[in-house]
Amino acid sequence: MAGFRFPSPGLSVPRPAAFGADPSGERMARIRRSPHFGDGVFQNPGGPARTRPSGSARDFAKIYFDREAKLRRAPRGTVPVHATTLADLARPPATGLRVTWMGHSSVLAEIDGQRVLFDPVWGERCSPVPFAGPKRLHPAPVPLAALGPVDVVVISHDHYDHLDMPTIVALAGTDTLFAVPLGVGAHLEHWGVGADRLRELDWHESTRVGGLTLTATPARHFCGRGLRSTQHTLWASWVVAGEEHRVFHSGDTGYFDGFRDIGAAHGPFDATMIQLGAYAEFWPDIHMTPEEGVRAHLDLQGGQAGGALLPIHWGTFNLAPHPWAEPGEWTKDAAGEAGQAVAFPRPGEPFEPAGELPVEPWWRAVSAPIARSWRRPRIAEGTAETSKGDLDLAGER
């Protein structure tokens, strides 16, 4: 198989190239010096986080493999991807900040004259092999080669749905820089990225790229790509600040009090990109629900509704038991209760946070009915306040 090395008998085992490389040498020495590394592994803020599904395997399997539930976890039609054009991306943003969600956690942020690409995943599967693993539910909105020059690629952590080897190999042929959490640079060097193009940061460390300051900030998650994870690569959220604008990308994280500290130190933000998909009661410590995602955004903004919230980590891959469209619907409700502006672009649809936000619930046209309603009590049928639209939506959720 391509990407495997064949060992001498009894000495080693085949290892896919997509597994990357473990940190060693001075990189490992730096990891051991990190204040966030203890007992041989990186530690989460707020104490240990459950990184494996809790509860019984039977309960998880019953939900995950239920036929009806499985149908709800994928769109029932073609996802309406925006036909991003070169003209869209070549024209400078009028306000100085433009954001384009490419699907899942991949986002192009054009900020104060520079271009930042977060967690680029252009591969067909988030997997170490091309024939198995979660497959894209919609195509990438624009070919990677047509994206144009990127000043810096920012990686949140080394899971396959955030760090995609084929995408990194393609970007390695450009002159872009890479900002990554501590230890993740070992993977990129293994795939052909020169050490001089890496900015490898621990939490609270910053680097300058042109007129931008990039700061790795804490997140509550975990790491690993191989069959045996050493937990020697850090995970992070990121703050990117220009002369006029600043944005936040959460990476993958559970909700924790540290969002308030990040907001106090670096906020408020013109836009936050917040993970609020692939959540489940089986792993509550490492992914956020829509309600928690909205709360995290408000924490980052100093407790006030403001700046645009872009929901990420949903819609592109089937990674959790919840219905495919549930993150969109529930975020719309949670943000509405908080009075918070949320952008709901189609994948590939550019928008400027200071301008008119895309708010149409585009997923409804291709979503199976959502069985579980939002936590608000439904209006009783037949009351004066009930509209047909309310009943239709309550019946579908």
Side-chain angles (χ1 to χ4, degrees), residues 97-111 115-122 147 150 152-156 161-163 167-168 171 179 212-215 236-241 246-251 271 273 310 312:
L97 175 63
R98 181 167 59 210
V99 176
T100 307
W101 179 49
M102 299 294 179
H104 201 57
S105 294
S106 303
V107 183
L108 175 67
E110 299 167 89
I111 175 171
R115 306 174 94 223
V116 182
L117 185 59
F118 293 95
D119 283 359
V121 174
W122 259 252
L147 197 59
V150 173
V152 59
V153 173
V154 176
I155 303 296
S156 65
D161 58 322
H162 297 259
L163 181 61
T167 304
I168 297 300
L171 290 166
L212 302 178
T213 299
L214 294 85
T215 305
S237 56
W238 287 87
V239 171
V240 177
R246 57 186 60 222
V247 299
F248 174 83
H249 189 285
S250 71
M273 297 154 266
L310 172 64
I312 60 171

Side-chain angles (χ1 to χ4, degrees), residues 64-241:
Y64 200 80
F65 294 107
D66 177 80
R67 182 178 178 277
E68 290 299 318
K70 187 175 181 180
L71 291 174
R72 296 178 189 273
R73 292 202 301 272
R76 61 182 179 185
T78 301
V79 175
V81 174
H82 179 81
T84 308
T85 67
L86 293 177
D88 289 332
L89 301 177
R91 183 176 58 254
T95 62
L97 175 63
R98 181 167 59 210
V99 176
T100 307
W101 179 49
M102 299 294 179
H104 201 57
S105 294
S106 303
V107 183
L108 175 67
E110 299 167 89
I111 175 171
D112 296 342
Q114 295 192 268
R115 306 174 94 223
V116 182
L117 185 59
F118 293 95
D119 283 359
V121 174
W122 259 252
E124 282 300 305
R125 296 182 185 272
C126 48
S127 167
V129 293
F131 54 83
K135 190 175 182 180
R136 298 186 73 95
L137 300 174
H138 65 78
V142 60
L144 187 63
L147 197 59
V150 173
D151 294 290
V152 59
V153 173
V154 176
I155 303 296
S156 65
H157 64 297
D158 68 0
H159 286 160
Y160 292 101
D161 58 322
H162 297 259
L163 181 61
D164 178 54
M165 186 190 75
T167 304
I168 297 300
V169 169
L171 290 166
T174 71
D175 58 1
T176 187
L177 300 176
F178 294 82
V180 303
L182 188 55
V184 174
H187 298 313
L188 274 65
E189 286 192 38
H190 187 65
W191 299 330
V193 177
D196 60 329
R197 292 166 57 195
L198 288 172
R199 306 291 185 266
E200 197 164 347
L201 306 183
D202 201 347
W203 291 339
H204 308 299
E205 291 182 343
S206 298
T207 188
R208 292 281 293 179
V209 175
L212 302 178
T213 299
L214 294 85
T215 305
T217 45
R220 191 164 164 78
H221 200 56
F222 68 112
C223 63
R225 293 179 72 85
L227 298 177
R228 182 183 65 86
S229 173
T230 61
Q231 296 292 294
H232 288 170
T233 58
L234 188 59
W235 47 96
S237 56
W238 287 87
V239 171
V240 177

